[in-house]
Amino acid sequence: MGLFNRNNKTKKNKGTAEGQNLVVPAHIAIIPDGNRRWAKERMLPVAAGHKEGAEVFRRMVRHAESLGVKYITFYAFSTENWKREASEVETLMKLLLNFLVNSEKELGKDKDKIRIKVIGDRTRLSEDLQREIARVEKETENNTAITANMAINYGGRDELTNGVREIAEKVKNGELNPEEITEDTVESHLYTAGTPDPDLLIRTSGEERISNYLLWQLAYTEFYFTEKNWPDFNKHDLEEAIKAYSNRHRRFGGA
């Protein structure tokens, strides 16, 4: 039967296995940390770590969908990552472009299940990358099994600043009154507009901070940290994180 039984879910997205009720998060956010560390430990070039991390990304999206997760958001490239060595930035951009160019092959049998979306400021990305992002988003927009958000040139403060600027412009143009601004107004001007906030955040490689990631969206998210580097993260680890989440009592700000 396996740990998660998709056929026994309730409206609250609960799966039952081996007599235990497990709550499957609707949305999982991931900070896939440790690619460089993984490569260094094996005396491999940094590029090898990022390539292996990309493979894990593909496997985790597929496995998350099989468990009933509806959204999964990866921190693929932050606004701060531009400060890294030029060769490493080039490697990351090539990996992202290669995935998008070959998306039908990369997604394989799941090509009609997975919706790909990119969140972040695209203006600094190459024309080739921007073009492929637009193409893949359009081609997968009707896929409903799972949405895989790729945060590229993303920063939480940048996102909020951009959203505030858009709202201020509407106020300036008389399209919006200041007293009409609500949390929903702010949410609708974020890169993640229309996507529910993450239920669970997973960060690998032993780091325990959010690193300017989804600052607004993580307000009531449960955090799960693991010592494993991202290239070593596997299906069992994802299930363990979900099991830990199932045992949390979410209060959403209450006592």
Side-chain angles (χ1 to χ4, degrees):
M1 179 66 70
L3 181 63
F4 296 87
N5 181 2
R6 298 188 67 182
N7 295 322
N8 289 332
K9 290 178 195 168
T10 68
K11 291 182 179 180
K12 292 185 178 180
N13 211 26
K14 285 189 176 181
T16 303
E18 300 176 0
Q20 182 182 15
N21 286 331
L22 294 169
V23 181
V24 178
H27 185 178
I28 297 177
I30 297 179
I31 302 179
D33 203 9
N35 290 345
R36 292 188 294 177
R37 195 170 306 170
W38 181 90
K40 184 177 179 180
E41 289 173 355
R42 289 160 178 76
M43 294 183 288
L44 296 171
V46 171
H50 290 309
K51 288 178 181 177
E52 186 62 28
E55 289 298 325
V56 176
F57 159 75
R58 298 179 185 91
R59 292 196 293 269
M60 288 307 104
V61 171
R62 294 189 182 100
H63 192 50
E65 187 278 325
S66 74
L67 299 177
V69 177
K70 299 301 293 181
Y71 299 87
I72 190 164
T73 302
F74 288 89
Y75 208 1
F77 190 90
S78 77
T79 50
E80 288 80 13
N81 285 159
W82 295 107
K83 300 174 184 177
R84 294 185 177 182
E85 293 289 335
S87 59
E88 184 177 357
V89 171
E90 183 180 3
T91 294
L92 286 165
M93 290 299 160
K94 283 183 177 179
L95 282 171
L96 291 168
L97 181 59
N98 183 69
F99 171 78
L100 293 168
V101 169
N102 300 293
S103 59
E104 186 166 323
K105 178 181 177 181
E106 297 285 359
L107 297 177
K109 62 182 178 60
D110 297 313
K111 63 183 180 182
D112 296 325
K113 294 182 180 180
I114 301 170
R115 182 182 186 186
I116 301 293
K117 293 183 68 177
V118 171
I119 61 173
D121 179 7
R122 305 181 188 185
T123 60
R124 193 172 176 180
L125 304 178
S126 69
E127 291 184 3
D128 287 345
L129 194 49
Q130 291 185 51
R131 182 177 60 252
E132 287 304 313
I133 289 171
R135 181 186 66 80
V136 173
E137 286 186 332
K138 179 65 176 178
E139 289 183 357
T140 65
E141 65 181 355
N142 294 320
N143 297 347
T144 59
I146 187 171
T147 296
N149 295 312
M150 301 170 65
I152 302 176
N153 194 28
Y154 174 90
R157 289 184 175 183
D158 174 74
E159 177 180 41
L160 289 169
T161 300
N162 180 71
V164 169
R165 188 181 295 115
E166 290 181 356
I167 293 170
E169 191 68 24
K170 289 185 176 180
V171 172
K172 177 183 176 181
N173 295 335
E175 301 172 30
L176 182 67
N177 293 321
E179 59 271 19
E180 295 174 336
I181 298 172
T182 64
E183 289 188 6
D184 288 340
T185 307
V186 176
E187 191 278 333
S188 69
H189 289 82
L190 299 178
Y191 294 133
T192 56
T195 300
D197 291 342
D199 302 292
L200 173 65
L201 168 72
I202 299 171
R203 181 163 189 165
T204 57
S205 194
E207 303 295 343
E208 297 185 1
R209 57 182 182 274
I210 60 174
S211 298
N212 196 24
Y213 186 46
L214 301 175
L215 298 179
W216 175 278
Q217 298 88 338
L218 295 178
Y220 298 111
T221 300
E222 297 294 325
F223 290 5
Y224 180 87
F225 302 107
T226 174
E227 295 291 329
K228 277 197 170 184
N229 291 322
W230 177 246
D232 290 323
F233 196 81
N234 57 41
K235 295 179 180 180
H236 174 73
D237 296 318
L238 180 61
E239 293 176 5
E240 285 299 308
I242 293 175
K243 285 171 64 178
Y245 168 82
S246 297
N247 293 324
R248 307 279 180 89
H249 177 58
R250 302 185 73 191
R251 295 181 176 85
F252 297 95

